[in-house]
Amino acid sequence: MHQHYAHLRLLGLLLSLLGLSVPRLAAQGLTLRGLVLDSTGHHPVPYATVAVWRRDSVLLTGTTTDEAGAFTVSNLVARDLVLRVQLVGYRSARQVLRVPAGQVQASVPVIYLRRDEVALREVVVQGERENQAVQLGKQVFTAKQFQNTTGGTGLDLVQRLPAVAVNSDGAVTLRGSENFQVLLNGKPTTRTPADVLAQLAANQVERVEILTSPSARYDGDGKGGIINIITKQEIAAGWSLTSNGLFAGASLPRFGGDATLTYTASRWSAYVAGDYRRYDVNGFRGGVVRTLYRDTLTYLPSGGARNLHDEQYAARLGASFTPDARSAFTVGYYLGYKQNDRLALLHYADYYRPTGPLYLDADAFGPPARRFYNQNLFSRTGSFQTLNADYTRTLAGGGKLTLLGIYEYSVLGGPLRNADQTEDTGLVTLQERSDERSPLTAWRGQADWVQPLPHQQRLEAGYQYRRVQHDGTFTFERQNQQTGAWVTDPAFADALALTQQIHGGYVQWAGEVKQVSYTAGLRLESTRRTLTHQAEATPYDYQALNLFPTLQGLWKIAPAHTLRGGYSRRIDRPSTKALSPFRNHRHAEAIELGDPTLRPELTDVLDASYTHTGETLTLTATAYANRTQDRIFRVNAPYSRTILLRTYTNAGTATSLGGEFSGEWKARTWWRFYGAANVYRFHIGGTYLGQPVQQQSLNYTLNANTTLDLGKRVHLQYDVSYVSRTATSQGFDTGLLLSNAGLRATVWHNQATLGLQLTNVFNSNTQTITTEGPTFYSATEYRKYDRILQLTCGLRVNDTGKKAKTAKTEYGEKDF
């Protein structure tokens, strides 16, 4: 009953806001609405420039087309008009229009742009888009400038952007938060960012959009904001092909490739794509654990190999159909598999004493009680399937309706094997094994409506329904060393079912006043979460109704100067892993335990930026403040003498106050510099088990590259990134320095590329993660041996590299 009332309140509030938001349409001036399409494929042409002239050659105003190729121009007095439409790679189009006196609205006949293949080839060889741009509510970065990511993944690409950092264990943060949302071509993919980005080939990316204070039409998920990945599409008439390859070794497998085949006709297009990547990296892990447990002091140093196996492959296919100038259908299917194996081969020395000075940093120990060798294999596998379909209709009054449906089915799991044997005798003293199988089914239905209004304003509204069902069976067995029989340990075995439903709706008002653009919106989401598991009969139920206000503004002070500001509220809902109410023994030193009563984190985000755009220098400076309530802490405490128990709990508040800086300097026509920095003060405060938790640090990330054109077709690039020492809830991570160099040549009439790259030039991929409390101390060093020489190649046949809508999973790879 409570849920039904929540839905009624949601509907009532949205209808009220709609009623308050729609003003009377005053007949002041003429409003023109039109659509720009590609003459070959009849698909929308976004970002085309539309200039409105009087017949006597006086320029009146101008605008650009949106993602659907639509444009609106308001407040026109003249009636005899000429529209001129331009976009790089197309021939200019001209439309003469005469509007009768007294008419306040007019529809422009569809304008078709013809491709200019000669101009397009010239742009490919001689021109290059700006590396970054600022738009209302987002920063946009082109992928083309980061040539050292060729043959790599989306993870390699985004870690070169401002505010993004990746540590040695692959954790990705945006402004210091691991909780942000990843979209693919505007479609939601609520997965762990590291997983979705690692499974996307960098070669497929056209540009990256960072939205740190998104508008109300986006899901409220992701307290750090949104990273929207725009992929490429081949839309030249007829057949087109793109393919890329990578080879970096056979003895330790490192190779991969991707290919996309597309056919485009006058009203429809279809594509099929596939990719494969195998990239193994050896490494080292050294560490120390100190515990004070039941009046016994333990000192447990360790060290040994920590090798990583990464294999993934995927197939994608899709089609689009435009029956007329105002309708478009798109359908896509995605099938993927991913496996990550971590094999740790560690040597331990176990020192302990029950008497004497019992303080954590004591070093007066005798010989170790035992020395043992631990073999720990943790394998994570996932198979993913997604089917998505959407329909877009441009309405008679210039409005646009978009309907979207997504279905996902994923199966997650993987084994864990753990064994100890004494160093001197080789006697096996412990053998454990666990397995997981977690099928996940998810649905999403979404409707979005945009209605243009007079005076360059528009009203947007939408509704969304999401449902996810995540089941899991977890087995854990320990071998009896005397009988050889495997015995189930109920403390580590369980079966659970998690259901989460979200109803969401929003209204948003947007407009332009002279040189100022703005949006103001409100989103409302109703959440119900139910978790049941085998060990308890009573389900855990959580319900909430959350409001998400947003406000954004962009002021074009002068052609080269822009101010942008924004505010939004975001939410981060706990993952299945954090909610799981049973012990998970992941490796020899740690056991994880979730909390099914966790509440979501709510974050307020405020930022403001200034951008200067010049012929040789582009610079953006941003100041921001974030505040997170009900921060979910991952905390450790002794479970036994040699094992730490890692739990999740809502325990306080986190704040970030900082600034971002990014810019590009074209020192010469053949020499360019790009740099980005993020500096912020991070503070965590709260209590856990009656003990205060207070951590703070000044953190920063630096990213830079320089590119030299050694002729028209050969480019040399060197890049470097640094992540500073960073505070966590119970400790800190040390700094991390990475750098790469690459040489790339374009051959065969600009249709093929050859590249040579050296990753981790200084062999500096080493980081130490430290946690501590009143009764424990843990420090672990991770080192990757990934200074690797890579060969890359690429081929494009009849390719123009525009964006495509591709399918991906929304939930499965997040829980992976």
Side-chain angles (χ1 to χ4, degrees):
M1 185 66 69
H2 175 82
Q3 183 182 10
H4 295 303
Y5 285 140
H7 297 163
L8 290 174
R9 290 199 300 270
L10 168 64
L11 180 62
L13 180 58
L14 288 175
L15 291 175
S16 300
L17 288 169
L18 280 169
L20 291 172
S21 299
V22 181
R24 294 182 179 178
L25 306 183
Q28 299 178 2
L30 171 65
T31 297
L32 297 180
R33 295 187 176 90
L35 190 65
V36 180
L37 301 179
D38 181 282
S39 63
T40 302
H42 286 209
H43 53 73
V45 178
Y47 312 122
T49 300
V50 181
V52 183
W53 299 72
R54 278 197 335 218
R55 292 286 291 273
D56 56 4
S57 300
V58 174
L59 178 64
L60 299 177
T61 186
T63 186
T64 58
T65 58
D66 61 17
E67 292 280 354
F71 66 89
T72 302
V73 182
S74 302
N75 298 326
L76 295 171
V77 177
R79 300 285 165 164
D80 290 328
L81 304 170
V82 177
L83 276 65
R84 295 177 182 172
V85 183
Q86 294 177 303
L87 183 65
V88 173
Y90 288 92
R91 297 180 182 179
S92 299
R94 183 174 182 268
Q95 176 73 52
V96 178
L97 193 67
R98 178 176 176 80
V99 182
Q103 185 173 333
V104 296
Q105 296 193 25
S107 295
V108 180
V110 175
I111 299 173
Y112 293 96
L113 293 186
R114 295 178 57 192
R115 287 196 163 274
D116 188 343
E117 298 299 335
V118 173
L120 193 60
R121 286 194 295 270
E122 290 175 352
V123 169
V124 171
V125 175
Q126 299 176 1
E128 207 164 52
R129 296 176 60 181
E130 291 293 335
N131 198 34
Q132 63 182 46
V134 173
Q135 300 176 11
L136 181 62
K138 61 188 175 184
Q139 281 186 277
V140 183
F141 300 87
T142 61
K144 189 176 181 180
Q145 292 279 9
F146 304 102
Q147 73 173 44
N148 282 346
T149 64
T150 302
T153 67
L155 195 61
D156 300 316
L157 176 62
V158 301
Q159 70 178 3
R160 289 163 167 82
L161 303 179
V164 179
V166 181
N167 71 8
S168 62
D169 208 29
V172 189
T173 60
L174 178 62
R175 288 185 177 174
S177 172
E178 293 186 41
N179 301 308
F180 59 92
Q181 191 179 6
V182 174
L183 306 181
L184 281 175
N185 302 308
K187 287 189 171 66
T189 57
T190 42
R191 301 164 278 167
T192 299
D195 290 331
V196 61
L197 294 170
Q199 203 174 5
L200 179 68
N203 302 311
Q204 298 174 350
V205 179
E206 173 75 16
R207 65 182 186 273
V208 180
E209 301 175 346
I210 296 182
L211 300 82
T212 50
S213 54
S215 69
R217 73 183 181 92
Y218 293 99
D219 294 357
D221 298 87
K223 66 183 181 184
I226 294 173
I227 292 181
N228 186 23
I229 306 293
I230 306 298
T231 58
K232 297 176 182 176
Q233 178 189 22
E234 294 63 54
I235 58 173
W239 293 98
S240 61
L241 170 70
T242 62
S243 61
N244 301 277
L246 164 73
F247 180 78
S251 58
L252 196 62
R254 300 187 188 107
F255 52 85
D258 63 85
T260 302
L261 181 65
T262 304
Y263 182 78
T264 302
S266 61
R267 293 189 179 275
W268 65 276
S269 65
Y271 72 90
V272 59
D275 61 79
Y276 176 84
R277 178 180 170 89
R278 172 75 183 271
Y279 209 90
D280 293 359
V281 175
N282 286 341
F284 171 83
R285 178 191 182 276
V288 59
V289 173
R290 293 175 179 267
T291 64
L292 185 57
Y293 182 75
R294 295 182 179 175
D295 297 325
T296 298
L297 180 65
T298 298
Y299 168 56
L300 188 73
S302 63
R306 184 180 187 269
N307 302 329
L308 305 175
H309 162 89
D310 180 22
E311 184 175 19
Q312 57 194 41
Y313 52 85
R316 303 171 180 84
L317 56 91
S320 63
F321 175 57
T322 53
D324 54 58
R326 296 187 178 274
S327 300
F329 295 88
T330 302
V331 64
Y333 176 70
Y334 166 75
L335 174 67
Y337 177 82
K338 183 177 182 181
Q339 180 173 341
N340 295 143
D341 296 340
R342 183 218 63 212
L343 177 61
L345 306 172
L346 305 178
H347 299 270
Y348 284 85
D350 183 5
Y351 300 85
Y352 71 93
R353 68 171 186 227
T355 60
L358 298 181
Y359 48 90
L360 285 176
D361 57 352
D363 55 6
F365 288 92
R370 61 173 181 147
R371 293 183 183 272
F372 64 97
Y373 175 60
N374 173 258
Q375 302 176 61
N376 184 273
L377 171 65
F378 177 63
S379 181
R380 191 65 172 160
T381 63
S383 60
F384 313 98
Q385 296 184 67
T386 301
L387 178 66
N388 70 268
D390 61 69
Y391 168 71
T392 301
R393 175 70 178 176
T394 302
L395 306 176
K400 184 173 71 172
L401 175 67
T402 301
L403 303 177
L404 169 68
I406 299 177
Y407 169 77
E408 173 190 344
Y409 179 73
S410 302
V411 179
L412 312 176
L416 183 144
R417 303 293 183 262
N418 187 58
D420 291 346
Q421 63 183 103
T422 58
E423 292 274 17
D424 51 354
T425 66
L427 178 67
V428 176
T429 59
L430 175 70
Q431 286 199 80
E432 298 171 331
R433 66 185 186 189
S434 66
D435 289 279
E436 171 191 348
R437 187 180 188 277
S438 301
L440 183 151
T441 306
W443 299 266
R444 171 189 284 261
Q446 185 172 318
D448 297 279
W449 171 66
V450 180
Q451 179 61 52
L453 299 174
H455 312 299
Q456 295 183 303
Q457 299 181 84
R458 69 180 185 273
L459 177 66
E460 303 179 18
Y463 169 78
Q464 169 201 105
Y465 171 74
R466 286 183 279 165
R467 185 180 191 276
V468 59
Q469 177 70 43
H470 193 180
D471 301 323
T473 302
F474 306 85
T475 62
F476 186 92
E477 297 175 310
R478 187 176 293 110
Q479 188 180 51
N480 186 313
Q481 297 304 309
Q482 295 179 342
T483 66
W486 289 92
V487 181
T488 297
D489 187 337
F492 296 90
D494 205 349
L496 64 81
L498 173 67
T499 303
Q500 183 166 266
Q501 297 185 76
I502 300 173
H503 293 266
Y506 71 92
V507 290
Q508 182 166 282
W509 186 270
E512 298 180 18
V513 179
K514 295 184 178 180
Q515 302 302 316
V516 177
S517 303
Y518 62 88
T519 63
L522 183 64
R523 185 178 188 90
L524 186 64
E525 291 187 352
S526 168
T527 304
R528 178 164 189 176
R529 182 186 76 206
T530 303
L531 185 147
T532 60
H533 71 117
Q534 183 175 278
E536 293 183 85
T538 304
Y540 292 91
D541 191 69
Y542 172 84
Q543 298 185 57
L545 194 65
N546 298 109
L547 281 171
F548 302 95
T550 64
L551 181 64
Q552 299 171 324
L554 181 73
W555 181 18
K556 195 76 173 179
I557 304 173
H561 305 279
T562 304
L563 290 178
R564 179 178 64 90
Y567 164 79
S568 69
R569 180 172 295 165
R570 313 292 298 162
I571 190 171
D572 185 60
R573 297 178 172 91
S575 66
T576 305
K577 172 185 172 182
L579 294 168
S580 300
F582 65 94
R583 297 176 180 86
N584 193 325
H585 200 173
R586 291 190 176 272
H587 60 81
E589 297 176 17
I591 292 173
E592 290 194 352
L593 175 64
D595 180 358
T597 66
L598 284 177
R599 300 180 302 277
E601 298 178 342
L602 289 170
T603 300
D604 293 287
V605 181
L606 181 67
D607 60 16
S609 66
Y610 163 77
T611 298
H612 166 78
T613 305
E615 292 186 4
T616 61
L617 178 65
T618 300
L619 176 66
T620 297
T622 303
Y624 65 87
N626 297 350
R627 184 178 186 274
T628 300
Q629 306 173 46
D630 284 331
R631 173 65 184 261
I632 296 177
F633 288 176
R634 191 176 72 172
V635 294
N636 295 283
Y639 179 81
S640 67
R641 280 197 316 106
T642 60
I643 299 176
L644 296 178
L645 177 64
R646 182 178 299 155
T647 58
Y648 299 84
T649 182
N650 296 106
T653 302
T655 58
S656 298
L657 183 64
E660 294 169 6
F661 309 90
S662 62
E664 183 184 28
W665 177 39
K666 298 177 182 177
R668 296 289 187 272
T669 56
W670 47 270
W671 192 9
R672 299 180 302 280
F673 291 91
Y674 165 80
N678 178 36
V679 183
Y680 63 99
R681 170 69 67 178
F682 183 57
H683 177 267
I684 300 174
T687 58
Y688 175 67
L689 298 177
Q691 298 293 324
V693 177
Q694 295 287 337
Q695 290 281 2
Q696 66 177 3
S697 65
L698 181 66
N699 306 329
Y700 59 92
T701 61
L702 304 174
N703 296 282
N705 72 52
T706 181
T707 305
L708 287 83
D709 299 333
L710 308 178
K712 290 185 177 181
R713 298 180 181 273
V714 181
H715 310 282
L716 175 67
Q717 186 175 89
Y718 173 78
D719 67 68
V720 61
S721 64
Y722 180 73
V723 180
S724 74
R725 183 181 186 273
T726 304
T728 60
S729 59
Q730 286 186 299
F732 63 89
D733 300 346
T734 61
L736 178 64
L737 173 69
L738 297 174
S739 62
N740 310 277
L743 186 68
R744 187 180 186 187
T746 304
V747 297
W748 195 34
H749 308 292
N750 201 51
Q751 294 187 90
T753 58
L754 296 173
L756 182 66
Q757 299 172 6
L758 179 64
T759 64
N760 191 13
V761 173
F762 299 114
N763 204 23
S764 56
N765 195 345
T766 301
Q767 190 173 37
T768 299
I769 297 176
T770 300
T771 58
E772 58 185 323
T775 58
F776 78 95
Y777 171 86
S778 173
T780 306
E781 177 190 292
Y782 296 100
R783 187 182 306 162
K784 289 183 181 178
Y785 303 127
D786 57 354
R787 182 162 60 184
I788 299 167
L789 190 63
Q790 302 181 158
L791 298 175
T792 63
C793 61
L795 175 67
R796 304 192 313 273
V797 179
N798 200 28
D799 162 43
T800 56
K802 296 297 181 180
K803 69 172 186 175
K805 294 182 177 180
T806 58
K808 269 284 195 174
T809 66
E810 180 175 0
Y811 289 94
E813 288 167 284
K814 178 179 182 181
D815 286 288
F816 182 93

